[in-house]
């Protein structure tokens, strides 16, 4: 009702003021900027603005792109820009690195650290993509890995926790538009609740033309997989592999089950077997399947990462990781 009546401002402090390390005055002109009042309006007002923005443009959803510009601008303001601040930021980051999910801890080249200046209950820890210095990235595989953390233990009382919780959700309404951004709690990080979960943007890269259906299919596959196999399966999804069948059974011409496998790509007639299924190799081979056997650690086939062996069998290419 307040939003419809024109009462749009929130009582929460803007993260542009509360978290930023500088004012962005020295940022290159091409860097995406936040729109006016991007972080001072309450959630319903922002939602109404989003719903009122046409989404039929040729280059995607303008409302989402503006959210990404807002989030990238905030991320840039959290990048240390002086020698003293770089030292402070490096110390802060060092306190978080060992707690972060793998995709956030080691993002690779092309990033600078981005971390909120405060050490309060709601914190932003991540990496700003240097590709954004030339404008909002248009390629499908760009990332801005990071976490928005609710550190419950730092709240002095229930009122402080409730305020931090509101700030956490308010900020993630925008930050979730960045590929690779996670909404987490400090206790969840410490208990490794997020280990093994791939960022959704990685899954979407499997087949952009069927993004919605494949996201759900790949998530279902990852839920069924043994943990050591999950990173490799994510890389196969990135390489464009079809969604495999997990735990299938092989029947003979009389319908009797004669073998099983960890996973198969039925269209390509490729089967992957665990070590305890190795005695079934000949059964699968006799019916015309290409059979690949995992090692005891479930990480390799034929002395190389198992996903590379599978990719070769499927006619795909997976680049070596740096």
């Amino acid at each position: 009702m307040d939003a419809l009546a024109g009462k749009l401002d929130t009582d929460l402090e803007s993260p542009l003021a509360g978290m930023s390390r500088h004012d962005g005055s020295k940022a290159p002109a091409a860097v995406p900027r936040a729109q006016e009042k991007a972080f001072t309006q309450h959630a319903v007002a922002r939602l109404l603005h989003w719903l009122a923005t046409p989404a039929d443009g040729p280059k995607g959803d303008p409302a989402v792109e503006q959210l990404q510009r807002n989030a990238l601008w905030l991320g840039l303001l959290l990048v240390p820009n002086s020698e003293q601040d770089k030292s402070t930021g490096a110390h802060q980051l060092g306190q978080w690195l060992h707690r972060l999910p793998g995709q956030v801890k080691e993002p690779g080249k092309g990033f600078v650290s981005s971390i909120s200046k405060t050490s309060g209950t709601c914190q932003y820890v991540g990496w700003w993509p240097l590709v954004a210095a030339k404008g909002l990235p248009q390629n499908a595989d760009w990332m801005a890995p990071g976490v928005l953390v609710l550190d419950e233990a730092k709240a002095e009382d229930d009122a402080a926790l409730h305020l931090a919780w509101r700030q956490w959700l308010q900020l993630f309404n925008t930050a979730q538009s960045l590929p690779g951004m996670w909404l987490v709690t400090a206790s969840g990080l410490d208990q490794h609740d997020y280990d093994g979960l791939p960022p959704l943007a990685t899954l979407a890269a499997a087949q952009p033309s069927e993004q919605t259906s494949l996201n759900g299919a790949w998530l279902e596959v990852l839920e069924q997989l043994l943990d050591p196999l999950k990173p490799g399966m994510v890389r196969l999804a990135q390489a464009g592999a079809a969604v495999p069948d997990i735990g299938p059974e092989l029947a003979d011409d009389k319908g009797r089950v004669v073998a099983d496998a960890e996973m198969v790509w039925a269209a390509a007639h490729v089967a992957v077997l665990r070590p305890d299924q190795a005695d079934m190799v000949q059964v699968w081979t006799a019916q015309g399947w290409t059979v690949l056997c995992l090692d005891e650690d479930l990480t390799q086939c034929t002395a190389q990462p198992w996903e590379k062996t599978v990719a070769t069998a499927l006619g795909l290419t997976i680049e070596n990781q740096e």
Side-chain angles (χ1 to χ4, degrees):
M1 293 297 294
D2 282 347
L4 293 173
K7 300 177 182 179
L8 308 180
D9 292 340
T10 178
D11 61 321
L12 297 173
E13 179 184 42
S14 169
L16 295 179
M19 291 184 166
S20 62
R21 312 183 82 94
H22 55 91
D23 61 8
S25 59
K26 298 181 181 179
V31 171
R33 258 68 172 179
Q35 66 190 139
E36 186 179 2
K37 296 186 176 180
F39 296 97
T40 60
Q41 294 181 342
H42 58 68
V44 177
R46 301 301 307 156
L47 176 61
L48 292 178
H49 176 78
W50 187 350
L51 295 175
T53 304
D56 55 358
K59 296 183 179 180
D61 189 334
V64 174
E65 291 183 355
Q66 185 57 64
L67 286 175
Q68 291 177 332
R69 292 187 183 93
N70 296 345
L72 284 170
W73 181 245
L74 172 62
L76 179 70
L77 301 189
L78 307 186
V79 175
N81 70 339
S82 69
E83 290 304 318
Q84 181 178 354
D85 203 24
K86 287 178 182 178
S87 176
T88 302
H91 177 71
Q92 285 181 263
L93 184 62
Q95 295 177 321
W96 283 101
L97 271 181
H98 68 285
R99 305 167 72 182
L100 299 179
Q103 295 89 345
V104 180
K105 184 186 302 183
E106 300 175 352
K109 298 179 180 179
F111 299 92
V112 291
S113 62
S114 175
I115 183 168
S116 51
K117 70 177 182 182
T118 61
S119 57
T121 311
C122 179
Q123 300 181 62
Y124 183 116
V125 182
W127 304 89
W128 197 82
L130 294 176
V131 66
K134 299 179 180 179
L136 183 67
Q138 296 301 312
N139 55 312
D141 60 352
W142 73 280
M143 300 284 283
V147 292
L148 188 62
V149 187
L150 180 67
D151 195 349
E152 317 98 300
K154 289 190 175 181
E156 297 178 355
D157 50 38
D158 288 347
L161 179 60
H162 184 232
L163 178 61
W165 179 79
R166 291 181 58 214
Q167 292 171 330
W168 184 54
L169 294 182
Q170 177 213 28
L171 185 51
F172 195 67
N173 281 337
T174 295
Q176 66 180 322
S177 65
L178 294 178
M181 181 61 62
W182 300 58
L183 180 71
V184 304
T185 62
S187 60
L189 289 174
D190 292 338
Q191 294 168 21
H192 306 287
D193 290 347
Y194 314 103
D195 291 358
L197 293 176
L200 290 180
T202 299
L203 300 178
Q207 287 289 343
S209 62
E210 302 178 43
Q211 178 176 328
T212 302
S213 61
L214 277 186
N215 275 350
W218 280 110
L219 285 173
E220 185 175 346
V221 165
L222 289 167
E223 287 177 358
Q224 298 175 61
L225 274 183
L226 297 170
D227 286 344
L229 298 172
K230 291 180 180 180
M233 187 63 77
V234 170
R235 297 189 71 200
L236 283 168
Q238 288 179 298
V243 178
D245 296 319
I246 306 299
E249 295 178 332
L250 182 68
D252 62 15
D253 55 4
K254 296 181 180 180
R256 295 174 299 188
V257 175
V258 293
D260 59 2
E262 175 60 25
M263 68 190 83
V264 302
W265 280 264
H269 253 51
V270 173
V272 177
L273 275 58
R274 301 187 308 271
D276 61 294
Q277 297 169 325
D279 59 338
M280 304 178 192
V281 170
Q282 292 184 350
V283 180
W284 285 93
T285 303
Q287 295 201 24
W289 289 76
T290 298
V291 182
L292 307 172
C293 285
L294 295 161
D295 67 0
E296 291 293 336
D297 295 328
L298 304 181
T299 58
Q300 292 193 332
C301 284
T302 61
Q304 67 176 340
W306 75 269
E307 66 270 18
K308 292 197 68 174
T309 307
V310 171
T312 300
L314 296 176
L316 303 171
T317 301
I318 291 182
E319 299 297 331
N320 292 324
Q321 290 181 311
E322 296 183 358

